[in-house]
Amino acid sequence: MNTMVLGIAGGTGSGKTTLTKRLKERFGEQISVISHDNYYKRQDELTYEQRCLTNYDHPNAFETELMVEHIKALKAGEAVLCPVYDFSQHNRSDDFIQIHPAPVILVEGILIFASPELCDLMDIKVFVDTDADVRILRRIVRDVKKRGRTLDSVVTQYLTTVKPMHEQFVEPSKRRADLIIPEGGKNPVAVEMLIHRLESHLASAGKEE
């Protein structure tokens, strides 16, 4: 299978998920999505209170080497069992998601471009660039409504780890991007450009079969 690996990175609340959904809706089963968030390390040895204090915005919080293995397997035409992360518990659940190989593997996450090993597997690297004030507002709404967090905990986490880690790791990783998209999935011109690029790849991959 002629597989293209598309990486979509950007800060928290930047619009990565919206862009990913737009592409998935457009191409369906021709795209398999693999999210870095699901590769947060298991922390069974810690209490819930201790897990709350973990710096989840540092590259060391992820089991990136497992994600690298899974992407290599998908490129080789093998299905993988992706772990599932429970944000309400700050820990992996016991569930898995089976991800099947596809002509396009979409890799999504805030820190994927901070890993040279992941970058080496990607054919196209897209960075979603959005103003910090917009991103923090989106994060507050998401974490309070969907992840059961309190407003105080979201603000504290943002100021103590999210913002400094963004400045230290996420923002510098933008230099590795092939394409920078302001506002992600809400940028129709950029989305159309990506769609045309993927259509071209899928057409050529179809001819090779």
Side-chain angles (χ1 to χ4, degrees), residues 8-18 37 40 57 108-113 126-139 142 147 158 161-163 165-167 169-174 180-181 183-184:
I8 298 180
T12 180
S14 60
K16 300 183 303 299
T17 301
T18 302
D37 280 358
Y40 276 118
D57 292 87
E108 178 265 338
I110 60 172
L111 287 167
I112 57 174
F113 294 170
V126 175
F127 190 94
V128 180
D129 204 13
T130 304
D131 289 343
D133 55 349
V134 175
R135 291 190 292 102
I136 178 56
L137 289 173
R138 288 177 179 170
R139 173 145 183 154
R142 181 198 69 191
R147 297 183 178 176
Y158 183 81
T161 60
V162 177
K163 185 176 185 292
M165 293 300 99
H166 179 89
E167 294 169 351
F169 295 107
V170 182
E171 190 66 23
S173 77
K174 183 165 63 175
I180 296 174
I181 299 180
E183 289 293 329

Side-chain angles (χ1 to χ4, degrees), residues 52-58 136 139 152-168:
C52 288
L53 300 176
T54 298
N55 181 353
Y56 294 99
D57 292 87
H58 191 284
I136 178 56
R139 173 145 183 154
D152 286 346
S153 71
V154 177
V155 172
T156 299
Q157 186 181 30
Y158 183 81
L159 293 176
T160 56
T161 60
V162 177
K163 185 176 185 292
M165 293 300 99
H166 179 89
E167 294 169 351
Q168 183 175 351

Side-chain angles (χ1 to χ4, degrees), residues 114-131:
S115 165
E117 293 80 13
L118 282 178
C119 285
D120 286 345
L121 295 172
M122 298 174 194
D123 300 291
I124 301 177
K125 296 181 286 296
V126 175
F127 190 94
V128 180
D129 204 13
T130 304
D131 289 343

Side-chain angles (χ1 to χ4, degrees), residues 9-187:
T12 180
S14 60
K16 300 183 303 299
T17 301
T18 302
L19 177 57
T20 297
K21 286 181 177 177
R22 290 284 302 276
L23 295 175
K24 181 65 176 174
E25 288 168 0
R26 172 64 180 79
F27 293 103
E29 296 303 314
Q30 293 176 300
I31 289 183
S32 286
V33 178
I34 186 166
S35 175
H36 204 196
D37 280 358
N38 279 325
Y39 290 84
Y40 276 118
K41 292 176 179 175
R42 183 176 284 280
Q43 302 185 101
D44 294 338
E45 73 282 2
L46 302 181
T47 65
Y48 175 78
E49 289 72 21
Q50 290 171 324
R51 295 198 298 269
C52 288
L53 300 176
T54 298
N55 181 353
Y56 294 99
D57 292 87
H58 191 284
N60 289 342
F62 297 87
E63 192 178 356
T64 300
E65 61 274 16
L66 178 61
M67 190 182 204
V68 168
E69 290 178 13
H70 283 177
I71 295 171
K72 288 180 178 178
L74 288 168
K75 291 185 70 173
E78 303 168 10
V80 300
L81 290 178
C82 171
V84 175
Y85 190 77
D86 184 345
F87 286 93
S88 65
Q89 296 299 316
H90 295 289
N91 204 7
R92 279 189 196 172
S93 72
D94 294 325
D95 296 327
F96 290 90
I97 302 171
Q98 187 171 47
I99 299 178
H100 295 278
V104 176
I105 306 297
L106 195 159
V107 185
E108 178 265 338
I110 60 172
L111 287 167
I112 57 174
F113 294 170
S115 165
E117 293 80 13
L118 282 178
C119 285
D120 286 345
L121 295 172
M122 298 174 194
D123 300 291
I124 301 177
K125 296 181 286 296
V126 175
F127 190 94
V128 180
D129 204 13
T130 304
D131 289 343
D133 55 349
V134 175
R135 291 190 292 102
I136 178 56
L137 289 173
R138 288 177 179 170
R139 173 145 183 154
I140 288 171
V141 172
R142 181 198 69 191
D143 284 4
V144 171
K145 287 189 173 183
K146 296 182 180 179
R147 297 183 178 176
R149 310 283 170 78
T150 64
L151 177 59
D152 286 346
S153 71
V154 177
V155 172
T156 299
Q157 186 181 30
Y158 183 81
L159 293 176
T160 56
T161 60
V162 177
K163 185 176 185 292
M165 293 300 99
H166 179 89
E167 294 169 351
Q168 183 175 351
F169 295 107
V170 182
E171 190 66 23
S173 77
K174 183 165 63 175
R175 293 194 295 266
R176 290 188 166 133
D178 302 305
L179 181 64
I180 296 174
I181 299 180
E183 289 293 329
K186 296 184 179 180
N187 185 326

